[in-house]
């Protein structure tokens, strides 16, 4: 007997209730054996009927049989367990095959099922177009074995968050919430899919926001380009008009100069005719042969007629030998070419001045844009350039205050909350744009309220919108420094609007409002002008109602802040202006 090798199967020593190897086996009168705890638990369910039967053959017993440990079977099972009673290493089988099990080649994570090649094709055809994840299946099915009891760890303790076997459930995990590993896997799979869907949704929302931002930038750039084209087209038209006026002036000057020249030419022609007539007389006198006549004419200077009378008086004719100068010689006071030189110099100076002015204004625009992009940089005290609100607006209306919601949205800023370290009741969203204070006062008894500030310090022209709700009260305001100890609006360094009580507060200065407060509030800040305004925003009508306007001399950048009572919520709204 000692050398006999007996081959046994696990099913021969398995309990038909828990389907595990027998633990403290007992044998009932019909001859079937069970774990002691398994048969006791089965019979406890039958106490109301007072009928006790075998789970396998259904033979009834009355009264309830006494249970005693089967010593021989216990020893056999214990020896087999020590020698390594385990399942034979077999291939993973298909969960769908009914008769002869085929080797599984794929495992569907969504269906939690093993498939052979035949049933895998049917699975893929049935779920075509649906995201079912398939993974490889190892040739040898490896199942977790409890190191303490040597049984399969096919149960999951939700209390201790670990895989356990049947005896572990009865001993160490008695009274705990225990389910099968497949059920726990399905539950965790659902949470995993929900988390994946939420992550996918957040990615889509962020992509949508990025597309809106890109669209906003493109439209804003197009608007600026159109405005600049209009401005430079206007300058071009002004330059062309002035050029035409200059050409007209030059034509007038030309006509005036030509008219003066015509008069001078007439005088010159008259003098030339007289000169030629004198030359003809001299020529006639020079050709005479009568010496007496020649001398008489020379002396008398009689040039009226070529025939001279000897009885006429003789005058001095010395002047005939020397040609007389032209009397009243015409002259032009200013040389035309010299005037053109002066005009060319003036036009060159004009060109240089226009270029200098354009370069200076372009630098101003660049400085304004840089200042608007850096909210932490306060404007210089001696700045003489236009305010930053003229960056994207018509220069003629650059200094006018915004009136409509579209005008305010030009100055909207992207804000995020600054997390509070050690807060036990404040909850922030994943993108740090929504804050909720726990409504349970026991969660943080020392702080039934809290204050939270944004990470960004604001200066210049800024506008933001918030949505609020809850029963604990909410205050919206600004402060020089984030201070969680002093309530917002109750000192000289902060300004707040109490939305639940409809009152504005700044130190000892309180103003009650008569206008109803909406659940969406818009805040406008003109840091340089010292203007702080609160508006009630109604999205349906796209209107804004002024709640309070405060004039102050701000000396430092301001942090947006919020006071939240127990059970209140504040959400920073992301707003963009798409008006062309």
């Amino acid at each position: 007997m000692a050398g006999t090798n007996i081959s046994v199967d696990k099913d021969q020593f398995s309990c038909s209730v828990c389907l595990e190897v027998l633990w403290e086996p007992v044998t009932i009168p019909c001859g079937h054996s069970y774990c002691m705890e398994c048969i006791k638990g089965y019979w406890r369910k039958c106490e109301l009927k007072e009928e006790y039967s075998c789970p396998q053959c259904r033979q009834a017993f009355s009264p309830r049989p006494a249970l005693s440990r089967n010593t021989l079977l216990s020893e056999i099972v214990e020896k087999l367990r020590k020698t390594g009673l385990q399942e034979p290493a077999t291939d993973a089988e298909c969960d769908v095959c009914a008769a002869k099990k085929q080797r599984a080649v794929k495992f569907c994570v969504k269906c939690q099922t093993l498939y052979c090649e035949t049933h895998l094709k049917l699975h893929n055809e049935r779920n075509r177009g649906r995201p079912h994840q398939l993974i490889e299946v190892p040739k040898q099915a490896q199942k977790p074995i409890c190191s303490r009891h040597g049984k399969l760890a096919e149960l999951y303790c939700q209390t201790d968050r670990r895989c356990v076997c049947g005896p572990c459930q009865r001993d160490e995990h008695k009274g705990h919430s225990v389910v099968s590993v497949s059920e726990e896997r399905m539950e965790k799979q659902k949470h995993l899919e929900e988390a994946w869907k939420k992550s996918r949704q957040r990615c889509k929302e962020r992509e949508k926001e990025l597309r809106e931002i890109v669209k906003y930038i493109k439209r804003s750039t197009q608007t600026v380009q159109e405005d600049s084209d209009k401005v430079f087209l206007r300058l071009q038209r002004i330059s062309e008009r002035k050029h035409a006026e200059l050409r007209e002036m030059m034509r007038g000057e030309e006509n005036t100069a030509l008219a003066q020249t015509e008069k001078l030419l007439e005088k010159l022609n008259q003098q030339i005719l007289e000169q030629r007539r004198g030359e003809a007389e001299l020529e006639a006198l020079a050709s005479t042969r009568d010496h007496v006549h020649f001398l008489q004419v020379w002396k008398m200077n009689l040039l009226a007629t070529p025939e001279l009378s000897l009885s006429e008086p003789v005058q001095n004719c010395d002047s005939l030998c020397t040609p007389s100068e032209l009397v009243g010689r015409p002259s032009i006071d200013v040389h035309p070419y010299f005037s053109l030189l002066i005009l060319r110099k003036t036009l060159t100076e004009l060109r240089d001045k226009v270029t200098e002015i354009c370069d200076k204004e372009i630098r101003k625009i660049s400085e304004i844009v840089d200042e608007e992009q850096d909210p932490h940089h306060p404007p210089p005290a001696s700045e003489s350039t236009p305010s930053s609100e003229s960056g994207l607006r018509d220069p003629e209306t650059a200094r006018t205050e915004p009136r409509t919601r579209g005008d305010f949205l030009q100055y909207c800023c992207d804000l995020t909350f600054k997390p509070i370290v050690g807060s036990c009741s404040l909850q922030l969203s994943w993108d740090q744009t929504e804050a909720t204070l726990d409504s349970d006062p026991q969660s943080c008894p020392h702080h039934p309220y809290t204050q939270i500030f944004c990470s960004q310090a604001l200066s210049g022209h800024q506008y933001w919108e918030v949505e609020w709700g809850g029963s604990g009260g909410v205050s919206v305001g600004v402060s020089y420094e984030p201070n969680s100890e002093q309530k917002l609006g109750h000192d000289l360094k902060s300004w707040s609007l109490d939305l639940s009580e409809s009152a504005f507060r700044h130190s000892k200065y309180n103003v009650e409002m008569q206008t109803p407060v909406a659940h969406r509030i818009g805040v406008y800040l003109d840091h340089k002008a010292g203007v702080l305004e609160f508006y009630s925003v109604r999205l349906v009508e796209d209107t804004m109602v002024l709640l309070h306007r405060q004039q102050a001399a701000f000396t430092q950048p301001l942090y947006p802040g919020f006071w939240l009572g127990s059970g209140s919520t504040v959400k920073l709204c992301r707003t963009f202006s798409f008006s062309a």
Side-chain angles (χ1 to χ4, degrees), residues 555-571:
T555 59
Q556 301 177 25
L558 295 171
Y559 291 84
F562 306 87
W563 180 94
L564 286 82
S566 179
S568 298
T569 301
V570 171
K571 181 180 180 181

Side-chain angles (χ1 to χ4, degrees), residues 27-32 43 59 61 65-67:
T27 303
I28 60 178
C30 65
H32 292 108
W43 280 350
Q59 181 179 348
F61 309 104
L67 297 176

